[in-house]
Amino acid sequence: MTDRAPAQRGPEIDETAGLGGVAAVPFAARHIGPGAAEQQRMLAEVGYSSVAELLAAAMPETILTRQALRLPPAAGEAEVTGELRRLADANRTMVQMIGLGYYGTHTPAVILRNVLEDPAWYTAYTPYQPEISQGRLEALLNFQTVIEDLTGLAVAGASLLDEGTAAAEAMTLARRANKKSTSPVFLVDSDVFPQTLAVLRTRALPLGIEVRVADLAAGLPDGEFFGLLTQYPGASGRVVDHEALCAAAHERGALVTVAADLLGLCLLRPPGEVGADVVVGSAQRFGVPMGFGGPHAGFMSVRKGLERMLPGRLVGVSKDADGQVAYRLALQTREQHIRREKATSNICTAQVLLAVMASMYAVYHGPDGLRRIAARTHRLATILAAGLRTGGVEVVHEAFFDTVSARVPGGAAQVVAAARDAGINLRLVDADTVGIACDETTGDGDLLAVWRAFGIAVPSISEVDARCAEPLPAALVRSAGYLAHPVFAAHRSETAMLRYLRDLADKDYALDRGMIPLGSCTMKLNATTEMEPITWPEFASIHPFAPADQTEGYRELIDDLCRWLAEVTGYDAVSLQPNAGSQGELAGLLAIHGYHQARGESQRDVCLIPSSAHGTNAASAVMAGMRVVVVACDDDGNVDLADLDAKIAAHADSLAAIMVTYPSTHGVYEQQIAQLCGKVHDAGGQVYVDGANLNALLGFAKPGRFGADVSHLNLHKTFCIPHGGGGPGVGPVAARAHLAPYLPGHPMLDGNDPQRPTVSAAPYGSAGILPISWAYLRLMGPDGLTAATGAAVLAANYLAARLRPHFPVLYAGANGLVAHECIVDLRPVTKSSGISVDDVAKRLIDYGFHAPTMSFPVAGTLMVEPTESEDLAELDRFVEAMIAIRREITKVESGEWSAEDNPLVNAPHTARMLTADDWSHKYSRQEAGYPNGDGARQKYWSPVRRIDGAFGDRNLVCSCPPPEAFTQ
Ligand SMILES: *Cc1c(COP(=O)(O)O)cnc(C)c1O
């Protein structure tokens, strides 16, 4: 332990370095907030002399590893940027015309720089505190409006993880919503994307749903089914009128889901108009780079009556304490994963940042701009097809939007190879068929090159008679307008757009303003050097199904990352496919199921989950087809081993697994973890350790070594991918060797074993953001990572020590120490003063803070996770704010301030409220708005007062409100 010195602050004199012996500041000293001297002061407060001593006292001896991590030593920022440049250069950028749900798109530069590359957007947290999230909530409401308008359905959610999983969510939604049919059959059209089909099959299996593939354009097959899915346009490019199909399906008591292309919908009749109950898809081609598969915003819209079944988050309109329009997450208690085993979906982290980008693309282009892009794309495809026909090549489908299937008997591979030589990727469908997808970025030269690859010498575009028949049948031409709301007309100049983005970002509190002390969410630094490479075209423009020899850089990066993550967790194999923690959980449980099944023990279906677990755990277990049995916690918040014994005994033959979070969601290193793993193993079960709290373990303990079989990690927590306002995420699943054969696979991967589950649409999930975590590991090196864990645990214990005299700190482990977070118990003051956890959370906004996690895992408490990145001054600012708030509560307790009128219940205070001509409160405006004095810091003003969530739920509005709504 003694070799784990905390990071040094400031330039170090390195005897071995040249040029005067001054080495660059190590990155770890940039990432870790408190320097050596500050850490000493913090240690003194906690009562230890070194970080090593503190960690040894906090963690059980049985799990401590004393071996240094076997990772490459830390490299400097310039060096890492150079290495990433080399990896990027090993990818080959191409004109991507493969299609299948991933298309070239121009990200407007104003959006690229001022959303994707702007920390005000990408470092924001999920908008659970709506008062400080009005900017991104408005952007998400715009997103919902875009989806509702284009799909022609009543209500859309604020993003799902990708198109494949959105289709799977639609399948299970149809199963639940359909009370008429008892059939287990879900029909899938043969022209859906192959990756969507793979995800559907994976998700159907544990739930007893039978996926049946048929050519639905030929009509409905015989037999019963509860729902169906078609693609519009299909994978082949074919556009089919689904009106009769929808009517026939409804006639037979089934629900219809259409997977639709957003750009196509700008020209095509919307599925909602022809009878679809649910529409799903991806918003990728609205300005979001392909990124080798993600991240992109999946979407779902539903007809009226199904909105309460929507998975993921739904933004709605409500009002604040002054009656002003204000946004917040609607039906929030129904955000499905919170309902645990009663949840219908496990989605927690979604794709907020990408949904914001897609919405802004629509805001910037407006309805006419979108129509123009769609029309141009369609026109190019029309010309392409005409040229092919001129050259004697058969075009398979008469009706298409952007994608053309060309028949070249026996010659498809040759055409695809010739196009590749010309820098263009086409889709090799089979030996006789080539797929060619046009998009916003397609140019005349690309068409000429494609024709040449077919051996057709068309000298120029004008040569082709493109006045051939319009490939969209009249019945499918869209007549319904869209995006009539003024927001889609008001920001069309770049100046206006820039100001709109700035205006929204200024409404929000993100990490670029101050600390976001959210328990379990690890809101640490997202370093600029880590972020920069993700928008390089060599990473951003790669199609997920590009041939392997064009993606060598990505593959090397992925291999490194898998190896390094295996090393730091002690596991043998890692899959990066899951695109959120929730999906990693599902993948891990499916691996456990696969393992039991292979051993002839598929009756093992009970998953033990402690009562303190994160909601996703139980929701994932249900999705994996398991029965959830809850294990109690004792008074100290630890898993109750006696109850565990009882539950194991009760389910001895059917025990599949236990899912535990370590350190626990109570922020404590449970001492008996090794014992717990042993008990489950002895009973034939597997141990799943939820690795979302890995920030408290890295470098000190490895779940794969202290008894766990499988874990998911959250790269958007521990490994520095920013939260993006609620996504993107990456949730790798890591497992020991015996589970490795059951980790995710993908139909588009060479040599894929079809028995493996597919949990994301893309083979490597959200590959486009993996450079962030790669860079973090490379920059920190083994010592930096270890020092970060030490600093994170020290910071949490420092906060606990300083807050304890003022508020009880719930739960502590050995020696009264917490792990990387601590729970501040507000229930006693709520009892004595009526001041609730909500009041304290909102009052923290007046003090310039984002509230901690509220009422999870214990109602009436705040869970605080400072992370290693906050320096001592910021930690102290938080402590002082909490102490000042405690003093304010005292005034309520003593009756100096009434329970109805005090700065806590009235928080947050807006500038408008404080500058109003009348002020009738018993406390001053100064006390309200600048409670800790003026300071040098720019004051953050919440743009709205306390939001009435219940009002919005009673009056559910999930699209942009009309301008008149704001004029009162
Ligand atoms: C965040 C979290 C999850 C879920 O991860 P998502 O990426 O949001 O799906 C699961 N378990 C715990 C303990 C978490 O903190």
Side-chain angles (χ1 to χ4, degrees), residues 269-346:
R269 199 172 168 207
E273 229 178 68
V274 302
D277 302 287
V278 183
V279 179
V280 295
S282 162
Q284 181 267 320
R285 70 192 306 180
F286 273 26
V288 183
M290 276 180 273
F292 199 31
H296 314 131
F299 66 79
M300 179 185 287
S301 59
V302 295
R303 69 163 157 75
K304 218 170 161 27
L306 294 176
E307 61 272 13
R308 278 164 204 272
M309 298 203 173
L310 269 176
R313 308 190 180 110
L314 178 65
V315 176
V317 182
S318 191
K319 59 177 190 177
D320 76 356
D322 288 337
Q324 302 282 331
V325 171
Y327 310 122
R328 91 279 174 250
L329 295 176
L331 310 176
Q332 203 185 85
T333 49
R334 287 168 200 267
E335 185 169 313
Q336 285 296 338
H337 75 271
I338 294 171
R339 304 172 70 217
R340 297 168 184 266
E341 64 272 21
K342 292 189 195 70
T344 51
S345 161
N346 66 348

Side-chain angles (χ1 to χ4, degrees), residues 348-349 520 580-582 585 614 616 661 690 692 712 714 716-717:
C348 176
T349 292
S520 213
S582 58
E585 292 175 19
H614 194 265
T616 50
T661 305
D690 179 326
H712 78 271
N714 287 55
H716 46 302
K717 294 178 181 172

Side-chain angles (χ1 to χ4, degrees), residues 369 398 431 775 812 883:
E398 290 299 323
I883 294 172

Side-chain angles (χ1 to χ4, degrees), residues 596-682:
H596 286 315
Q597 193 170 37
R599 289 160 49 96
E601 300 195 335
S602 48
Q603 87 287 354
R604 291 190 175 271
D605 67 346
V606 164
C607 188
L608 302 177
I609 299 186
S611 57
S612 63
H614 194 265
T616 50
N617 289 183
S620 299
V622 172
M623 285 168 63
M626 294 183 180
R627 288 184 288 147
V628 174
V629 172
V630 176
V631 182
C633 288
D634 63 20
D635 292 343
D636 298 326
N638 299 322
V639 174
D640 181 337
L641 285 193
D643 192 49
L644 177 68
D645 286 337
K647 298 287 157 66
I648 289 176
H651 303 281
D653 298 329
S654 50
L655 180 64
I658 188 167
M659 271 184 115
V660 284
T661 305
Y662 201 82
S664 75
T665 50
H666 292 148
V668 173
Y669 296 107
E670 291 184 35
Q671 298 293 313
Q672 73 281 27
I673 180 71
Q675 219 182 324
L676 179 152
C677 295
K679 284 174 184 288
V680 173
H681 282 148
D682 289 346

Side-chain angles (χ1 to χ4, degrees), residues 72 150 189 367 422 477 483 535 551 612 620 660 699 747 749 832 876 892 958:
L150 287 177
D189 184 56
V477 174
L483 309 189
T535 49
T551 59
S612 63
S620 299
V660 284
L749 285 175
S832 61
D876 282 340
V892 179
C958 304

